[in-house]
């Protein structure tokens, strides 16, 4: 304010009559105002940057204590990374394209560290093709059961699917997804499980599993929500509705993230899941 008055009329008697101490006080006040304005600007910029960063997490957030049944699946050759769901102490459900070769599964990725440290000897297991079971009618479907070599501890969380009546979620109903997929196409999978919600939507002409797998309207469902995508590492992960397992992600996300997320409907495979676990557990 003092500088402004001086520039306006440096020879005015008013400017000359201002006491030096008053000038210093006004100069100080002006500095404080400028500092406060700068602080506000910095906070606004920080908020904008924060929003930009959030949008790059493809619509997800940390799962905290949710999805403790999540399993990470990696091919021994290193060319595949997927998710899966622990159904009970012996069986995992995932997508067929996530395996069909020797893979390593890792349990407890979402469990507190103290539990993992105590049970580390059974967390990682290599599962051969002989213990991988794909649903097949005329052609294979992109859904698979894996049988563990050793039982998971009884205290490990599992997820249930509808045991009696099973109806798929309807259009626009909210379903919950999660996985350890990368934040963007071409990136590396995350070190922890991330969660998001999306909505059941119509499937487009190209929204289906890979061409080698059979699919139709009775087996396939889709979900879409702006800003929510499935990326590399998310395939095979569970889709939850009403607290139960209602689908698995089968989108091909190796090269590009999927904005419309393709899933298989568990209701179609419920009897096969039960029959296979019973038959192969003996």
């Amino acid at each position: 304010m003092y500088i402004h008055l001086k520039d306006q009329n440096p020879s005015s008697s008013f400017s000359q009559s201002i006491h030096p101490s008053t000038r210093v006080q006004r100069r100080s006040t002006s500095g404080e105002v400028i500092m406060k304005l700068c602080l506000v600007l910095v906070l606004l910029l920080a908020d904008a940057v924060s929003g930009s960063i959030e949008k790059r997490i493809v619509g997800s957030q940390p799962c905290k204590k949710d999805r403790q049944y999540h399993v990470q699946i990696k091919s021994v050759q290193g060319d595949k990374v997927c998710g899966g769901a622990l159904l009970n102490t012996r069986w995992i459900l995932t997508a067929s394209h996530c395996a069909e070769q020797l893979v390593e599964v890792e349990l407890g990725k979402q469990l507190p560290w103290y539990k993992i440290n105590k049970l580390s000897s059974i967390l990682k297991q290599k599962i051969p093709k002989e213990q991988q079971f794909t649903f097949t009618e005329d052609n294979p479907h992109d859904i698979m059961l894996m049988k563990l070599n050793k039982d998971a501890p009884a205290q490990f969380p599992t997820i249930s699917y509808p045991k009696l009546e099973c109806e798929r979620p309807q259009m626009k109903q909210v379903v919950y997804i999660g996985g350890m997929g990368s934040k963007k196409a071409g990136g590396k999978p995350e070190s922890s499980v991330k969660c998001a919600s999306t909505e059941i939507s119509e499937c487009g002409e190209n929204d289906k599993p890979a061409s080698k797998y059979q699919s139709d309207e009775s087996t396939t469902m889709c979900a879409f929500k702006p800003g929510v995508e499935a990326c590399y590492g998310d395939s095979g992960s569970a889709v939850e509705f009403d607290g139960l397992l209602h689908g698995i992600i089968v989108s091909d996300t190796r090269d590009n993230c999927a904005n419309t997320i393709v899933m298989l409907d568990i209701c179609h495979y419920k009897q096969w899941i039960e029959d296979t676990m019973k038959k192969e557990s003996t």
Side-chain angles (χ1 to χ4, degrees):
M1 186 178 295
Y2 168 74
I3 296 175
H4 174 69
L5 288 171
K6 184 176 180 180
D7 288 345
Q8 192 174 37
N9 188 358
S11 61
S12 70
S13 59
F14 177 75
S15 174
Q16 293 173 2
S17 65
I18 296 177
H19 192 278
S21 63
T22 305
R23 293 180 179 179
V24 171
Q25 183 178 0
R26 291 185 177 180
R27 185 185 294 115
S28 175
T29 303
S30 175
E32 289 176 2
V33 171
I34 293 172
M35 287 295 292
K36 289 179 180 178
L37 289 174
C38 289
L39 178 59
V40 170
L41 180 60
V42 168
L43 291 174
L44 289 172
L45 289 173
D47 184 62
V49 172
S50 174
S52 171
I53 291 173
E54 284 184 10
K55 292 178 182 177
R56 293 200 294 270
I57 306 179
V58 270
S60 65
Q61 59 186 0
C63 292
K64 297 182 180 179
K65 294 183 178 181
D66 294 333
R67 292 191 171 252
Q68 294 186 348
Y69 59 78
H70 185 83
V71 178
Q72 188 174 53
I73 301 169
K74 297 180 180 180
S75 63
V76 173
Q77 290 88 341
D79 61 336
K80 294 181 181 180
V81 181
C82 283
L86 187 65
L87 300 182
N88 53 48
T89 57
R90 181 63 66 147
W91 291 93
I92 292 168
L93 187 70
T94 186
S96 293
H97 76 263
C98 291
E100 299 173 329
Q101 58 181 290
L102 180 64
V103 296
E104 181 177 74
V105 301
E106 186 170 358
L107 310 175
K109 296 292 290 188
Q110 191 65 1
L111 291 176
W113 280 108
Y114 74 91
K115 289 185 180 180
I116 293 179
N117 291 335
K118 290 180 180 179
L119 304 166
S120 59
S121 61
I122 47 81
L123 290 180
K124 292 185 179 181
Q125 301 184 31
K126 287 186 171 62
I127 310 299
K129 288 185 65 176
E130 292 75 26
Q131 291 170 216
Q132 303 170 12
F133 305 91
T134 292
F135 179 92
T136 302
E137 288 178 326
D138 297 329
N139 294 301
H141 291 218
D142 197 3
I143 186 169
M144 171 183 285
L145 280 164
M146 287 186 184
K147 184 180 180 181
L148 293 171
N149 303 315
K150 301 177 182 178
D151 282 353
Q155 64 266 41
F156 265 40
T158 59
I159 185 168
S160 298
Y161 53 89
K163 295 297 196 302
L164 299 175
E165 293 184 5
C166 188
E167 295 183 4
R168 72 162 60 185
Q170 300 301 306
M171 289 294 165
K172 299 297 183 181
Q173 286 191 307
V174 175
V175 295
Y176 298 91
I177 59 175
M180 301 177 70
S182 56
K183 295 178 182 178
K184 59 183 179 180
K188 294 182 179 180
E190 292 285 286
S191 59
S192 61
V193 184
K194 299 293 191 297
C195 289
S197 64
T198 183
E199 296 181 0
I200 296 297
S201 65
E202 295 282 355
C203 292
E205 183 179 351
N206 297 319
D207 296 328
K208 58 181 108 176
S211 59
K212 67 178 284 187
Y213 299 108
Q214 181 176 324
S215 68
D216 55 38
E217 292 182 356
S218 68
T219 63
T220 307
M221 55 185 185
C222 296
F224 172 82
K225 181 179 178 180
V228 176
E229 299 178 336
C231 286
Y232 177 60
D234 288 329
S235 289
S237 299
V239 179
E240 289 187 32
F241 177 69
D242 277 349
L244 296 172
L245 176 65
H246 268 266
I248 58 165
I249 297 173
V250 296
S251 298
D252 183 3
T253 55
R254 180 178 294 274
D255 299 317
N256 297 292
C257 294
N259 189 234
T260 297
I261 300 171
V262 183
M263 308 167 288
L264 290 191
D265 178 15
I266 291 300
C267 293
H268 185 85
Y269 304 98
K270 182 170 70 76
Q271 192 60 51
W272 166 77
I273 292 172
E274 295 174 357
D275 292 344
T276 301
M277 290 193 299
K278 182 178 179 180
K279 176 183 176 182
E280 300 299 335
S281 292
T282 56

